[in-house]
């Protein structure tokens, strides 16, 4: 696991405006992304307070040397795939150098300041070209809640506690936060209807997930051992895996969800590194009494000791009426990564266990992360019990599922005593009417 | 639909050695691929007889003009993605020009001959960078055979005749013909075992499929109408969607196949164009009495009239013992594209109907294509009835599922009276032992 070092020092302050006390991007975070400054083309940047450091400009200004320069060169592109491929060594060297450059008292403050763009004027893009996108199902409370609809007495299928269940998602339709989402059409069939019809989705839902960016890949046919799996992770983001529940119910047998998910997924733009999250590692919560032990290929002592995360995850909604009335977004759910039944290392080890190759820029999703309590459910399917119990919003509106004009916002926050808390930035999209 | 033109003339002959009467690549075919000649780097080529025309060299020699040159320029790369993106117009112009160049009596025979590589010395590669890979399930006899195992009286699920069922496959592990396939390991659980164990797959199988290359894409949120869907297809190949039946049985609920498929898929290297297949179009076979009509978004008169194909598809096996004994490959199955319940246009229209974007170089699979008769089953799962009825091979060996050292070979042949028949080339891979 990544060690705590000088870059995590809570006493560290930055000369960049807005960095100290920033809810997402204090100097202890330093996430990477792809941005366009006004009138400029795509380039990599680092979020710091209210600014974005232009990595290519900083490289050209001679601010990096050695492994940090190697990392900055790989990142000086319109995607971060090459940077992801380098792995942890150069990434850590770049982080250490960025921390020194952006800290109060930096000798190169003026040179670095010349490479800063105000974040407000920048456009954010997908950070990498996504080769394949895999969505897991490791949120055990979500799996239980969904399973309960079909099997009240035995909600989890027999494989759930043995297999980190996952499936292939659609990579092409992943979009960055801020991109509107078109309500899909599809085949819908009411349980009592004789035949399906084709029309706009009537049960549009979000799913609150952690996204995982793959760094160095593995060759086809060469599994990654669970103890080495963390070295294949480049970072993390928020992921909203939009779901059309009515399309899903009719299409998903026998091969799983397809068009009910492939119309779009939204991710947050900033890649939060494993280094930035090092202070927020926790032991994998013990399995409930009676649960089977993971098979040996999924079991690593260090991973069990410190391979999980404590990150709070939040869903908010902002309807058109709320916007018009000047009401702030309303929290629908507060959950977190504690509710993952499998660690990220277990997901990576399982994914490659049959020989499947992962590549830099592949994206994994955790699956919906619901807390066990009613205020922490990661989808409307759960919160409204499939639409039976509408939620009441500020202003008196209700929602069974999402309506046109609704914006859904995901946020993440990692905090613990003795560490400076960091966030992921927003993952937001607004629903457009069906065509 | 593509028209028959002078490039299909059965009287057309080529000056290239081996082209006339070639089972796969007479001058009426002209498929595109990515090849390396001995000591050379990757480039696009056109298969003709026993040779491969080097498109970049031919372009440099000034052999193309106008739209044909535009197409050759887009193809002069190490992948065909840019060529696929151009669509049918330039592709047809290039085909017409290639046909003239390679025909007997060509005025530029010498210049073209200088751009030919002997096929035997060339290495073939994946023709395109595959963005996403989607596998359909349109082989109704296969779906019926597999469903019968679980539901003898009602093998097809209620959605089958309404929805072109498909799911997302793994794009990263698609490999070109000739690449060995490593037997996967995975979680296996016998029905009577208390818990799963981890070990090499014991029920390794092939699946006989038609692959479809996507040409011009569609924007996210903008469905492709079924009547325009054919214009988004760049070509066709053979696809062996290797399957680990034991891993699949334990993992696939509730989200579908995952590691049981993602360890590898093998495709044939040559992209057979819609133009080459124009003579082999047939009407979509009428649906059996009582089957529902497709919903309007899947129904187009021209597609019903001529959107299906009549292509024979064959599976052969060659075991290590057969190779040692000098025995030729043994045919396990003879099936064909007539057994697709949905046309390619219906697959494309359905895939995009919810707004999902397709991109140049995306790959679609038809799903396993089994004929209704016992000699035409597209997987060992069907042929051996899940291993209960082993097949006997020349030399006396038997197979329930595939063994290490077995090579599986897929072939395709399109033929009809009055047309020169064409083939797809081989799709072949040999099984390596598990690591």
């Amino acid at each position: 696991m990544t060690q705590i070092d000088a870059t995590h020092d809570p006493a560290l302050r930055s000369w960049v405006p807005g960095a100290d006390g920033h809810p997402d991007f204090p100097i202890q975070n330093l996430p990477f992304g792809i941005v366009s400054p006004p009138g400029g083309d795509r380039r990599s940047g680092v979020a710091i307070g209210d600014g974005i450091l232009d990595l290519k400009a900083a490289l050209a200004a001679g601010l990096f040397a050695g492994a940090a320069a190697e990392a900055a060169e790989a990142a000086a592109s319109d995607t971060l795939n090459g940077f992801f491929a380098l792995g942890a060594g150069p990434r850590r060297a770049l982080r250490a150098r960025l921390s020194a450059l952006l800290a109060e008292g930096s000798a190169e403050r003026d040179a670095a300041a010349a490479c800063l763009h105000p974040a407000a004027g920048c456009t954010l893009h997908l950070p990498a070209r996504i080769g394949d996108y895999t969505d897991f199902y490791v949120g055990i409370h979500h799996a239980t809640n969904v399973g309960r609809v079909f099997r009240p007495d035995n909600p989890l299928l027999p494989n759930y506690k043995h297999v980190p269940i996952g499936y292939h998602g659609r990579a092409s339709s992943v979009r960055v936060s801020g991109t509107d989402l078109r309500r899909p059409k599809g085949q819908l069939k009411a349980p009592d209807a004789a035949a399906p019809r084709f029309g706009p989705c009537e049960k549009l839902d979000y799913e609150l997930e952690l996204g995982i960016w793959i760094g160095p890949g593995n060759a086809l046919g060469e599994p990654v051992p669970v103890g080495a799996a963390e070295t294949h992770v480049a970072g993390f983001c928020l992921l909203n895996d939009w779901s059309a529940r009515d399309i899903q119910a009719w299409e998903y047998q026998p091969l799983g969800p397809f068009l009910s998910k492939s119309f779009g997924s939204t991710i947050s733009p900033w890649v939060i590194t494993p280094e930035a999250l090092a202070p927020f590692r926790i032991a994998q919560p013990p399995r409930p009494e009676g649960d089977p032990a993971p098979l040996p290929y999924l079991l690593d002592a260090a991973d069990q000791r410190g391979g999980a995360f404590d990150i709070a995850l939040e869903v908010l909604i902002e309807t058109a009426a709320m916007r018009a009335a000047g009401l702030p977004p309303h929290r629908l759910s507060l959950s977190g990564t504690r509710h993952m039944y499998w660690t990220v290392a277990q997901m990576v080890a399982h994914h490659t266990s049959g020989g499947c190759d992962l590549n830099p820029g592949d994206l994994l999703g955790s699956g919906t992360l619901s807390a066990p309590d009613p205020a922490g459910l990661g989808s409307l399917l759960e919160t409204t019990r499939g639409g039976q119990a509408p939620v009441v919003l500020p202003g008196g509106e209700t929602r069974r599922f999402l309506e046109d004009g609704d914006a859904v916002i995901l946020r993440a926050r990692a905090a613990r005593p003795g560490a400076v808390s960091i966030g992921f930035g927003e993952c937001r999209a607004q629903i457009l009417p069906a065509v």
Side-chain angles (χ1 to χ4, degrees), chain A:
Chain A
M1 297 302 150
T2 306
Q3 298 302 306
I4 305 291
D5 62 26
T7 65
H8 302 99
D9 185 351
L12 204 60
R13 300 177 68 82
S14 172
W15 53 262
V16 177
D20 297 339
H22 195 282
D24 289 319
F25 309 129
I27 192 169
Q28 288 80 5
N29 193 346
L30 301 175
F32 296 88
I34 296 292
V35 307
S36 305
D41 53 10
R42 293 182 190 215
R43 67 202 61 189
S44 57
V46 177
I48 172 77
D50 300 326
I52 296 173
L53 184 82
D54 187 320
L55 274 178
K56 196 170 172 183
L59 184 67
L63 292 173
F64 304 119
E70 184 196 351
E73 271 159 27
S77 170
D78 57 358
T79 74
L80 292 176
N81 294 75
F83 173 63
F84 287 176
L86 283 184
R91 188 177 70 227
R92 287 177 194 160
L94 182 55
R95 172 181 170 87
R97 176 61 180 149
L98 288 166
S99 179
L101 271 179
L102 298 169
E104 258 185 11
S106 163
E108 282 120 330
R109 171 178 171 159
D110 290 349
C115 304
L116 272 182
H117 303 288
C122 289
T123 304
L124 289 154
H125 306 285
L126 281 184
R129 194 181 54 251
I130 301 168
D132 279 285
Y133 158 44
T134 299
D135 205 17
F136 281 87
Y137 197 55
V138 308
I140 190 168
H141 305 303
H142 171 73
T144 305
N145 293 337
V146 171
R148 190 168 284 136
V149 176
F150 303 104
R151 298 170 300 275
D153 296 334
N154 195 15
L156 285 179
L157 287 166
N159 59 11
Y160 190 84
K161 292 178 175 178
H162 298 277
V163 181
I165 296 287
Y167 74 107
H168 305 296
R170 179 80 192 175
S172 73
S173 56
V174 178
R175 289 293 182 279
V176 75
S177 176
T179 311
D180 292 336
L181 180 92
R182 180 71 64 188
R183 177 183 299 273
K185 288 181 174 177
Q187 286 197 27
L188 315 171
K189 187 183 163 297
D192 56 349
R197 62 192 172 83
F198 185 79
C201 167
E202 294 169 357
K203 295 186 174 179
L204 185 58
D205 201 357
Y206 55 82
E207 290 196 335
L208 171 64
E209 303 197 14
L210 179 73
I212 298 117
W213 289 105
I214 295 298
N218 63 301
L220 187 65
E222 298 182 11
V224 174
V226 60
E230 282 282 349
T231 64
H232 292 264
V233 173
F236 301 88
C237 64
L238 284 160
L239 168 63
N240 183 346
D241 192 46
W242 304 97
S243 299
R245 301 298 177 193
D246 39 8
I247 298 173
Q248 187 174 355
W250 172 236
E251 75 163 4
Y252 92 106
Q253 290 282 19
L255 299 181
F258 180 44
L259 301 192
S260 54
K261 304 272 195 173
S262 62
F263 58 93
S265 308
T266 305
I267 62 172
S268 57
W270 293 105
V271 179
I272 313 299
T273 63
E275 289 70 52
L277 290 172
F280 312 103
R281 291 277 188 176
I282 54 172
Q284 178 68 346
R287 292 187 156 206
E289 189 71 27
D291 280 11
L295 281 166
Y297 79 101
L298 295 172
L299 206 48
D300 174 74
D303 184 49
Q304 291 296 303
R305 237 174 10 243
F309 291 102
D310 188 13
I311 306 168
L313 303 174
E314 195 182 15
V315 187
L316 304 102
I317 189 170
E318 180 194 79
T319 69
M322 290 166 68
R323 266 193 303 284
L327 292 168
H330 172 75
R331 180 194 280 175
L332 288 172
S333 175
L334 178 63
S335 180
T337 56
R338 289 185 165 273
H339 307 297
M340 292 167 65
Y341 192 76
W342 301 96
T343 66
V344 169
Q346 289 174 322
M347 291 158 60
V348 168
H350 180 66
H351 202 318
T352 64
S353 64
C356 180
D357 54 334
L358 296 174
N359 290 288
D362 284 351
L363 180 67
L364 312 185
S366 60
T368 308
L369 296 179
S370 293
D373 60 290
L377 302 171
S379 65
L380 284 175
L381 180 70
E382 294 164 272
T383 302
T384 71
R385 295 201 301 279
Q388 291 176 49
V391 287
V392 180
L393 304 178
E397 287 180 284
T398 60
R399 284 293 179 275
R400 296 172 191 273
F401 288 98
L402 296 170
E403 298 191 3
D404 296 342
D406 289 354
V408 175
I409 303 154
L410 311 185
R411 288 185 191 145
R413 190 164 185 77
R416 72 158 176 80
V420 173
S421 71
I422 63 173
F424 278 39
E426 241 179 33
C427 176
R428 177 195 177 103
Q430 189 169 318
I431 313 295
L432 298 177
V435 281

Short mmCIF file of all heavy atoms in Angstrom, two decimals, chain A residues 183-203:
data_model
loop_
_atom_site.label_atom_id
_atom_site.label_comp_id
_atom_site.label_asym_id
_atom_site.label_seq_id
_atom_site.Cartn_x
_atom_site.Cartn_y
_atom_site.Cartn_z
N ARG A 183 -32.61 11.13 -22.37
CA ARG A 183 -33.44 10.00 -21.92
C ARG A 183 -33.55 8.98 -23.05
O ARG A 183 -33.89 9.34 -24.18
CB ARG A 183 -34.83 10.51 -21.54
CG ARG A 183 -35.82 9.40 -21.11
CD ARG A 183 -37.21 9.97 -20.82
NE ARG A 183 -37.14 10.93 -19.73
CZ ARG A 183 -37.24 10.61 -18.44
NH1 ARG A 183 -37.46 9.36 -18.09
NH2 ARG A 183 -37.15 11.55 -17.51
N PRO A 184 -33.28 7.72 -22.77
CA PRO A 184 -33.33 6.73 -23.86
C PRO A 184 -34.75 6.28 -24.16
O PRO A 184 -35.64 6.39 -23.33
CB PRO A 184 -32.54 5.55 -23.27
CG PRO A 184 -32.81 5.63 -21.81
CD PRO A 184 -32.88 7.12 -21.48
N LYS A 185 -34.93 5.81 -25.38
CA LYS A 185 -36.11 5.04 -25.72
C LYS A 185 -35.73 3.56 -25.70
O LYS A 185 -34.54 3.22 -25.76
CB LYS A 185 -36.61 5.41 -27.11
CG LYS A 185 -37.26 6.78 -27.20
CD LYS A 185 -37.73 7.03 -28.62
CE LYS A 185 -38.51 8.33 -28.72
NZ LYS A 185 -38.91 8.60 -30.13
N GLY A 186 -36.72 2.73 -25.67
CA GLY A 186 -36.43 1.30 -25.71
C GLY A 186 -37.69 0.48 -25.64
O GLY A 186 -38.80 1.03 -25.60
N GLN A 187 -37.52 -0.82 -25.67
CA GLN A 187 -38.66 -1.72 -25.55
C GLN A 187 -39.09 -1.78 -24.09
O GLN A 187 -38.29 -2.06 -23.20
CB GLN A 187 -38.31 -3.13 -26.04
CG GLN A 187 -38.21 -3.24 -27.56
CD GLN A 187 -38.27 -4.69 -28.04
OE1 GLN A 187 -38.84 -5.56 -27.39
NE2 GLN A 187 -37.68 -4.93 -29.22
N LEU A 188 -40.37 -1.54 -23.88
CA LEU A 188 -40.96 -1.55 -22.54
C LEU A 188 -42.11 -2.55 -22.55
O LEU A 188 -42.90 -2.57 -23.49
CB LEU A 188 -41.51 -0.17 -22.20
CG LEU A 188 -40.62 1.03 -22.54
CD1 LEU A 188 -41.38 2.33 -22.35
CD2 LEU A 188 -39.37 1.02 -21.68
N LYS A 189 -42.19 -3.33 -21.51
CA LYS A 189 -43.32 -4.26 -21.43
C LYS A 189 -43.82 -4.32 -20.00
O LYS A 189 -43.09 -4.75 -19.09
CB LYS A 189 -42.93 -5.65 -21.92
CG LYS A 189 -44.14 -6.59 -22.01
CD LYS A 189 -43.73 -7.98 -22.43
CE LYS A 189 -44.84 -8.96 -22.12
NZ LYS A 189 -45.14 -9.06 -20.66
N ALA A 190 -45.04 -3.86 -19.80
CA ALA A 190 -45.66 -3.98 -18.48
C ALA A 190 -45.91 -5.46 -18.22
O ALA A 190 -46.17 -6.23 -19.15
CB ALA A 190 -46.97 -3.20 -18.45
N PRO A 191 -45.83 -5.88 -16.95
CA PRO A 191 -46.01 -7.31 -16.64
C PRO A 191 -47.31 -7.87 -17.20
O PRO A 191 -47.36 -9.03 -17.62
CB PRO A 191 -46.01 -7.35 -15.11
CG PRO A 191 -45.27 -6.12 -14.68
CD PRO A 191 -45.53 -5.09 -15.74
N ASP A 192 -48.37 -7.05 -17.25
CA ASP A 192 -49.66 -7.56 -17.70
C ASP A 192 -49.91 -7.29 -19.19
O ASP A 192 -50.98 -7.63 -19.70
CB ASP A 192 -50.79 -6.97 -16.86
CG ASP A 192 -50.76 -5.44 -16.88
OD1 ASP A 192 -49.75 -4.86 -17.37
OD2 ASP A 192 -51.72 -4.82 -16.41
N ALA A 193 -48.96 -6.65 -19.89
CA ALA A 193 -49.16 -6.38 -21.32
C ALA A 193 -48.86 -7.64 -22.13
O ALA A 193 -48.00 -8.44 -21.76
CB ALA A 193 -48.25 -5.24 -21.78
N ALA A 194 -49.56 -7.79 -23.25
CA ALA A 194 -49.36 -8.98 -24.08
C ALA A 194 -48.06 -8.89 -24.86
O ALA A 194 -47.44 -9.91 -25.16
CB ALA A 194 -50.54 -9.14 -25.04
N ALA A 195 -47.66 -7.66 -25.20
CA ALA A 195 -46.47 -7.49 -26.04
C ALA A 195 -45.77 -6.20 -25.63
O ALA A 195 -46.37 -5.31 -25.01
CB ALA A 195 -46.88 -7.43 -27.51
N PRO A 196 -44.49 -6.09 -25.99
CA PRO A 196 -43.78 -4.85 -25.66
C PRO A 196 -44.18 -3.72 -26.61
O PRO A 196 -44.72 -3.97 -27.69
CB PRO A 196 -42.32 -5.24 -25.87
CG PRO A 196 -42.37 -6.30 -26.93
CD PRO A 196 -43.64 -7.06 -26.69
N ARG A 197 -43.87 -2.50 -26.21
CA ARG A 197 -43.98 -1.35 -27.11
C ARG A 197 -42.64 -0.63 -27.06
O ARG A 197 -41.82 -0.90 -26.18
CB ARG A 197 -45.14 -0.44 -26.68
CG ARG A 197 -44.94 0.15 -25.30
CD ARG A 197 -46.20 0.82 -24.74
NE ARG A 197 -45.96 1.19 -23.35
CZ ARG A 197 -45.33 2.30 -22.96
NH1 ARG A 197 -44.87 3.17 -23.86
NH2 ARG A 197 -45.13 2.56 -21.68
N PHE A 198 -42.46 0.32 -27.99
CA PHE A 198 -41.20 1.08 -28.04
C PHE A 198 -41.50 2.52 -27.65
O PHE A 198 -42.38 3.15 -28.25
CB PHE A 198 -40.61 1.02 -29.45
CG PHE A 198 -39.26 1.67 -29.57
CD1 PHE A 198 -38.12 1.02 -29.14
CD2 PHE A 198 -39.14 2.95 -30.10
CE1 PHE A 198 -36.87 1.61 -29.25
CE2 PHE A 198 -37.89 3.56 -30.22
CZ PHE A 198 -36.75 2.89 -29.79
N GLY A 199 -40.81 3.03 -26.66
CA GLY A 199 -41.06 4.41 -26.25
C GLY A 199 -40.04 4.88 -25.25
O GLY A 199 -39.12 4.14 -24.88
N PRO A 200 -40.17 6.15 -24.81
CA PRO A 200 -39.21 6.71 -23.87
C PRO A 200 -39.22 5.96 -22.53
O PRO A 200 -40.28 5.59 -22.04
CB PRO A 200 -39.69 8.15 -23.67
CG PRO A 200 -40.53 8.46 -24.87
CD PRO A 200 -41.16 7.16 -25.26
N CYS A 201 -38.07 5.76 -21.99
CA CYS A 201 -37.92 5.15 -20.66
C CYS A 201 -38.76 5.91 -19.64
O CYS A 201 -38.73 7.13 -19.60
CB CYS A 201 -36.44 5.20 -20.27
SG CYS A 201 -36.11 4.85 -18.53
N GLU A 202 -39.50 5.18 -18.82
CA GLU A 202 -40.32 5.80 -17.78
C GLU A 202 -39.76 5.54 -16.38
O GLU A 202 -40.35 5.98 -15.39
CB GLU A 202 -41.76 5.26 -17.89
CG GLU A 202 -42.42 5.70 -19.19
CD GLU A 202 -43.74 4.97 -19.48
OE1 GLU A 202 -44.12 4.07 -18.69
OE2 GLU A 202 -44.37 5.32 -20.51
N LYS A 203 -38.69 4.81 -16.31
CA LYS A 203 -38.08 4.51 -15.01
C LYS A 203 -36.58 4.77 -15.06
O LYS A 203 -35.76 3.87 -14.86
CB LYS A 203 -38.37 3.05 -14.61
CG LYS A 203 -39.86 2.79 -14.37
CD LYS A 203 -40.08 1.38 -13.85
CE LYS A 203 -41.56 1.18 -13.48
NZ LYS A 203 -41.82 -0.20 -13.00
#
